[in-house]
Amino acid sequence: MTGSISNHELCILNTECGRFSDAAIKEIEKLGDVTHVEADRSYLLENVVNYEIMLIALHNTIDREILERATNLKYIVTPTTGHNHIDCDFAKEKGIQIISLRGETEFLETIRATADLAWGLLLSLIRHIPSAHQDVLNAQWDRNKYYGNELKAKVLGVIGYGRLGKMVAQYGRAFGMFILAYDQHKFSNKENTEFVGLDELLSRSDVISLHLPLNKHTNQMLDQNLFQKMKEGMVFINTARGEIVDEGALIEALKSGKVASAATDVLADEVSLDQDWLKNNKLVNYARSNKNLIITPHIGGVTYESVEQANIFIIHKLGHYIRNEKIL
């Protein structure tokens, strides 16, 4: 869209109002006539036609069926870096712009929530925290069941050395780990990080943390072949996107001991429209009867601080777009 929207009051749909503070809501309402609702798919299908701007997060999948009914929609606004919950190609075809956090490097450098979670998941795995807690609730107090491992002198492999990968590497250094990194871009070695090829990282790392964006090159990238190249008994963490990992291959690696334990904050089919997708997910079914896999419901960016910062930033960015003062 190249021209500015006319001066009438814009109709804005805020589909996940529960995540917005009073301060953020006041900022949205400066931009137009806002409907605040916790919208499900049926609501969107029936009502999206009435709006020019739609604010979403990750609760709904905005697919072709919804977009076909969005005949007045000009902007989809999402305080996320990933777009896999939106049919971006069809949105572009319809002239709908997507306003997101993608590419907002300076702002994103201030958001550490997902890196924090990745490290929390790692500590939970190597010290058996969830199982130990559950045993206490079950009236058991046996510390000898829960020998864990330390991180000092272990090798941390970071796949994707962008914003989050660098943050996780910082945590690794603080714990006395040696850092390997794989990234398509070349970086200087000022941070005491050794950049290596992917195969070398897989074979040398005691812990691997995944921080790649989802695209046509990374979809199903971590397949059976790459899991076989990993060091025996390593620990695997995924806070990126579920689609990057072949979930069946991960399960086989967990069963064989190639991967001693794993944690994921994301699943490959979390944007599915099938109401039973979670019940039928392979990793979820495996985790029900195995303690070496932790799954969390895509909570990486969900802290009070990060959500508030992202919401205010994306609302202000929308305001700039409306006024034709694009900031990219």
Side-chain angles (χ1 to χ4, degrees):
M1 178 177 168
T2 55
S4 58
I5 297 175
S6 61
N7 291 327
H8 78 278
E9 192 168 31
L10 295 166
C11 293
I12 302 172
L13 176 62
N14 178 11
T15 69
E16 296 185 43
C17 56
R19 63 174 279 132
F20 287 86
S21 67
D22 291 344
I25 286 175
K26 287 179 181 178
E27 291 299 309
I28 302 172
E29 291 177 347
K30 292 177 183 179
L31 302 178
D33 180 13
V34 187
T35 300
H36 300 286
V37 63
E38 293 295 328
D40 59 12
R41 183 172 181 82
S42 61
Y43 182 94
L44 292 178
L45 288 170
E46 183 176 348
N47 294 284
V48 70
V49 65
N50 299 318
Y51 298 96
E52 293 151 301
I53 298 171
M54 178 167 60
L55 279 76
I56 64 169
L58 294 174
H59 179 68
N60 288 292
T61 297
I62 309 304
D63 61 359
R64 188 183 188 98
E65 185 181 14
I66 289 175
L67 292 175
E68 282 177 338
R69 302 190 184 197
T71 53
N72 295 304
L73 200 63
K74 303 295 187 298
Y75 295 113
I76 296 173
V77 185
T78 178
T80 63
T81 53
H83 294 169
N84 59 317
H85 55 308
I86 305 169
D87 187 335
C88 296
D89 291 337
F90 191 58
K92 183 177 180 181
E93 185 180 320
K94 287 180 62 67
I96 300 170
Q97 288 204 47
I98 298 170
I99 300 175
S100 74
L101 299 181
R102 181 174 291 181
E104 298 292 354
T105 305
E106 184 176 350
F107 168 72
L108 289 169
E109 292 289 345
T110 68
I111 305 294
R112 304 187 69 93
T114 300
D116 289 355
L117 179 69
W119 209 253
L121 290 172
L122 173 57
L123 293 175
S124 294
L125 287 173
I126 66 169
R127 296 306 305 272
H128 312 295
I129 294 171
S131 298
H133 169 67
Q134 189 58 51
D135 263 9
V136 173
L137 298 184
N138 292 335
Q140 298 185 51
W141 191 267
D142 185 359
R143 64 191 302 219
N144 292 323
K145 292 172 59 179
Y146 295 107
Y147 275 78
N149 293 102
E150 296 182 11
L151 293 173
K152 184 179 180 181
K154 300 294 195 305
V155 178
L156 170 63
V158 179
I159 301 180
Y161 202 71
R163 170 182 66 97
L164 292 169
K166 290 178 183 177
M167 290 177 186
V168 168
Q170 289 174 351
Y171 298 155
R173 292 187 201 97
F175 277 73
M177 301 184 77
F178 184 79
I179 312 301
L180 300 179
Y182 167 76
D183 199 283
Q184 293 181 336
H185 302 286
K186 302 295 182 182
F187 294 90
S188 63
N189 201 17
K190 296 178 181 178
E191 300 170 318
N192 194 27
T193 297
E194 181 181 355
F195 288 88
V196 296
L198 182 58
D199 284 1
E200 183 175 352
L201 182 146
L202 296 175
S203 66
R204 291 175 57 190
S205 297
D206 299 296
V207 176
I208 290 176
S209 193
L210 183 61
H211 301 284
L212 292 173
L214 175 63
N215 55 45
K216 63 181 180 180
H217 303 293
T218 62
N219 188 46
Q220 296 289 289
M221 173 181 163
L222 271 291
D223 58 10
Q224 185 176 22
N225 177 52
L226 291 188
F227 275 108
Q228 286 303 311
K229 294 179 179 180
M230 292 180 184
K231 187 175 181 177
E232 191 75 21
M234 55 79 65
V235 177
F236 180 71
I237 310 291
N238 182 12
T239 55
R241 284 295 185 270
E243 295 91 331
I244 300 173
V245 177
D246 180 334
E247 294 181 346
L250 174 56
I251 290 172
E252 290 306 311
L254 286 164
K255 288 180 177 178
S256 71
K258 172 66 74 170
V259 176
S261 57
T264 182
D265 186 44
V266 287
L267 294 172
D269 44 4
E270 64 182 85
V271 297
S272 172
L273 298 180
D274 181 357
Q275 292 186 346
D276 293 326
W277 73 269
L278 191 59
K279 183 190 302 183
N280 297 327
N281 181 269
K282 295 177 183 178
L283 287 178
V284 173
N285 286 322
Y286 175 86
R288 286 193 176 102
S289 55
N290 294 273
K291 294 183 178 181
N292 63 342
L293 175 63
I294 295 174
I295 305 173
T296 51
H298 207 146
I299 61 173
V302 185
T303 64
Y304 290 108
E305 296 88 351
S306 66
V307 168
E308 180 69 0
Q309 287 176 264
N311 286 344
I312 294 295
F313 183 91
I314 206 70
I315 293 165
H316 288 169
K317 184 173 181 177
L318 171 62
H320 281 283
Y321 266 78
I322 290 172
R323 293 188 294 271
N324 240 2
E325 298 170 5
K326 294 185 180 180
I327 50 172
L328 299 174

